[in-house]
């Protein structure tokens, strides 16, 4: 477990220290982490992040790296610029660096790196200043698709296109809307792989205009870099709480603190988004602040009051709804968009507040809009414990036929059957977690399938359905449908993301990591459209790996995301998208 803790902190270090200056401190006799932190006006947690081994104690004459002040900034255009003196560039090694990734970053081989720096032929010392010959520093970020001039034409009704840095066969087929076979047929050299600088032949009717699929726009095809944008993330690391906790070790906290783990997962996804933005050349600076949150308090307001937010174009966070509302209120007069990343709660409205998670009633409404679009007959079996759903149906879905369940969990199967209508789809909403009720409803529906069109529906997650006692085949036969704010994505693009994430983090991404990527990347894309964030919201819906972003203006002020999927269990045991 200790190795895992070190890895997590190394991961945080390597991400947060892009562009960060630090000082080397040689430990004197009698010094402690606390006294050193006080000397440099940082927290012990900041020192632990750069020096994970110091959690086991420090020794006289050992060398520590002391970070600069928080917040940390990340620029997608140049995340860590080498400093150059005459013909030599220098780079200071930070935790998490390897010879391989440094060599790759500067476009040299590991052997060349060692020849230029004989001191690293054994280990790679933390904080060591590498010397690298100029001319092989990190290449400039290439122009993005929207900035590409129209390819040059030729006499054969084809155009010539020069492959840019970072482009792959997959991205090129997506860009040109051609199959791999068609693109390789025009360019046989592609069989040997895509190489930067290759000149490809593509159809003359090629257009670089924005593409829309299923009403969703691919924002990566219309990036504008004319003006640098600034994005701020308020993430609840709660560093001071960890620093002041003398009883609970970091490893114990990581075992027990679900909120911290969720934060780290979200953050790891956000970092993947920042890396992706860098690859495609988005001109954005990203600042990350520790929002130090509890359910009712946050340091975000003091950060806003003590920092310059005049050039901030959008803010993601904090996590708790009450805190994100405080930030929105503080920045409303400057009309800075504040995006709530995870909360589904309905709270106070502000003109600059964007709820990126679809709210619970909106999710239910999407399911009913889908059912009504099918001109269907809708029946609901509602448990006495599901009063919120019953109230919602009575208030907003008055055409639904309600079947009640008594306090003992029983009801008569015929009470469902009597509502079935022939020549229409009969949707049966199941709002109960009682195994007996589930069996009665599903048995009744299966027996009716020879005479009626029936489909099972749930409006919210139901843990009982996950038990082995409820066979999956029972749910797939009835094609159980449900609304969801996210969907599983098995496309090649999603698989590539998962592989890249695992390569960087040693585990596959969970829902919070993917959410961190989706929201951060979508926000950065919208800031890079040559218009305001709000104008982009009003103009286009979009989709990332597992989330859809289809914001609508609320009557009370601000925006809410109505990007909701209707999914169902198919008989081939897969989950498919109905809408």
């Amino acid at each position: 477990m200790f190795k895992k803790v070190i890895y997590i902190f190394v991961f945080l270090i390597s991400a947060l220290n892009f562009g960060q200056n630090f000082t080397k401190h040689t430990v004197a006799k009698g010094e402690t982490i606390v006294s050193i932190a006080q000397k440099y006006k940082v927290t012990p947690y900041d020192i632990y992040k750069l020096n994970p081994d110091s959690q086991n104690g420090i020794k006289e004459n050992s060398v520590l790296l002391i970070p600069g002040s928080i917040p940390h900034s990340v620029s997608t255009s140049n995340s860590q610029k080498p400093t150059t003196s005459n013909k030599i560039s220098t780079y200071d090694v930070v935790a998490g660096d390897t010879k391989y990734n440094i060599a790759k970053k500067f476009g040299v081989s590991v052997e060349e790196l060692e020849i230029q720096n004989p001191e690293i032929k054994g280990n790679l010392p933390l904080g060591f200043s590498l010397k690298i010959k100029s001319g092989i520093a990190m290449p400039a970020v290439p122009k993005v698709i929207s900035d590409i001039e129209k390819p040059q034409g030729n006499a054969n009704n084809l155009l010539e296109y020069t492959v840019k840095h970072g482009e792959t066969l997959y991205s090129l087929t997506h860009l040109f809307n051609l199959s791999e076979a068609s693109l390789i047929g025009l360019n046989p050299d592609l069989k040997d792989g895509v190489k930067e600088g290759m000149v490809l032949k593509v159809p003359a009717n090629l257009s670089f205009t924005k593409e829309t699929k299923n009403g969703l726009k691919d924002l990566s095809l219309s990036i504008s870099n004319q003006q640098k944008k600034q994005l701020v993330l308020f993430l609840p690391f709660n560093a001071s709480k960890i620093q002041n906790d003398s009883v609970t070790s970091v490893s114990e906290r990581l075992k027990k603190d679900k909120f911290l783990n969720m934060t780290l997962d979200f953050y790891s996804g956000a970092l993947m988004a920042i890396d992706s933005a860098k690859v495609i050349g988005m001109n954005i600076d990203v600042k990350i602040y520790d929002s130090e949150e509890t359910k009712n308090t946050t340091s975000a307001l003091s950060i806003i009051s003590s920092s310059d937010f005049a050039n901030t174009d959008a803010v993601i966070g904090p996590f708790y709804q009450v805190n994100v509302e405080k930030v929105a209120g503080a920045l409303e007069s400057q009309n800075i968009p504040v995006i709530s990343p995870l909360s589904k709660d309905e709270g106070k409205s502000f003109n600059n507040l964007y709820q990126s998670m679809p709210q619970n009633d909106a999710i239910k409404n999407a399911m009913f809009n889908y059912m009504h679009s099918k001109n269907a007959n809708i029946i609901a079996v509602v448990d006495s414990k599901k009063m919120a759903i019953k109230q919602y149906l009575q208030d907003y879905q008055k055409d639904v036929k309600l079947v009640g369940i008594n306090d003992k969990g029983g009801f008569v199967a015929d009470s469902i059957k009597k509502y079935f209508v022939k020549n229409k789809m009969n949707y049966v909403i199941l709002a109960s977690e009682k195994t007996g009720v589930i069996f009665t409803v599903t048995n009744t529906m299966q027996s009716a399938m020879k005479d009626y069109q029936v489909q099972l529906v749930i409006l919210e997650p139901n843990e009982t359905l996950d038990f082995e006692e409820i066979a999956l085949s029972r749910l797939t036969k009835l094609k159980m449908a449900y609304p969801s704010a996210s969907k599983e994505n098995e496309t090649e693009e999603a698989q590539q993301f998962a592989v890249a994430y695992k390569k960087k983090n040693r585990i596959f991404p969970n829902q919070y990591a993917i959410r961190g990527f989706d929201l951060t990347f979508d926000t950065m894309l919208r800031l890079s459209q040559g218009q305001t964030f709000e104008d982009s919201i009003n103009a286009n819906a979009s989709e990332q790996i597992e989330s859809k972003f289809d914001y609508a203006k609320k009557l009370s002020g601000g925006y809410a995301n109505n990007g909701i999927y209707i999914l169902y269990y198919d008989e081939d045991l897969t989950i498919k998208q109905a809408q």
Side-chain angles (χ1 to χ4, degrees), residues 294-329:
T294 68
K295 290 184 179 180
N296 297 300
T297 64
T298 176
S299 65
L301 294 182
S302 62
I303 292 172
I304 291 172
S305 64
S306 62
S307 306
D308 184 6
F309 273 65
N311 295 320
T312 300
D313 295 285
V315 173
I316 294 176
F319 279 9
Y320 285 113
Q321 181 67 22
V322 66
N323 293 330
V324 84
E325 288 171 7
K326 291 175 182 176
V327 170

Side-chain angles (χ1 to χ4, degrees), residues 227-231 283-285 311 313 527-528 531-532:
Q227 183 180 1
K228 182 182 284 289
K229 297 299 178 74
Q230 186 179 99
L231 173 65
N283 190 14
I284 299 179
D285 281 336
N311 295 320
D313 295 285
L527 292 176
S528 303
Q531 58 187 164
T532 67

Side-chain angles (χ1 to χ4, degrees), residues 514-558:
I514 295 174
R515 180 67 185 174
F517 174 87
D518 281 357
L519 179 59
T520 306
F521 194 59
D522 191 79
T523 301
M524 296 173 84
L525 282 171
R526 291 185 180 279
L527 292 176
S528 303
Q529 297 301 301
Q531 58 187 164
T532 67
F533 182 81
E534 185 174 16
D535 286 342
S536 173
I537 289 293
N538 289 325
N540 302 305
S542 60
E543 185 178 45
Q544 303 307 330
I545 295 174
E546 289 191 357
S547 303
K548 194 185 326 183
F549 298 95
D550 186 7
Y551 292 91
K553 195 156 192 173
K554 298 164 61 177
L555 290 175
S556 57

Side-chain angles (χ1 to χ4, degrees), residues 81 131 133 139 176 179 248 317 331 397 427 472 478 493 515 520 576:
K81 291 183 178 180
K131 295 179 176 60
K133 289 183 181 178
F176 302 140
S179 66
T248 306
L331 298 175
Q397 308 294 342
Y427 290 110
L472 181 61
L478 294 171
E493 186 178 10
R515 180 67 185 174
T520 306
K576 289 189 170 64

Side-chain angles (χ1 to χ4, degrees), residues 109-158:
S109 68
V110 172
E111 183 180 2
E112 289 171 324
L113 193 64
E114 290 180 338
I115 289 173
Q116 296 172 38
N117 302 271
E119 300 90 340
I120 68 167
K121 283 190 176 180
N123 296 322
L124 185 64
L126 196 66
F128 183 81
S129 293
L130 295 171
K131 295 179 176 60
I132 301 143
K133 289 183 181 178
S134 61
I136 43 177
M138 195 187 331
V141 176
K143 296 175 78 175
V144 294
I145 292 170
S146 62
D147 292 331
I148 297 171
E149 294 181 2
K150 189 173 181 180
Q152 298 299 310
N154 60 32
N156 298 320
N157 202 32
L158 295 173

Side-chain angles (χ1 to χ4, degrees), residues 37-53:
Q38 291 173 343
K39 178 178 180 179
Y40 289 96
K41 297 183 179 179
V42 298
T43 69
Y45 180 63
D46 294 325
I47 297 176
Y48 289 141
K49 286 193 297 182
L50 274 179
N51 308 270
D53 290 341

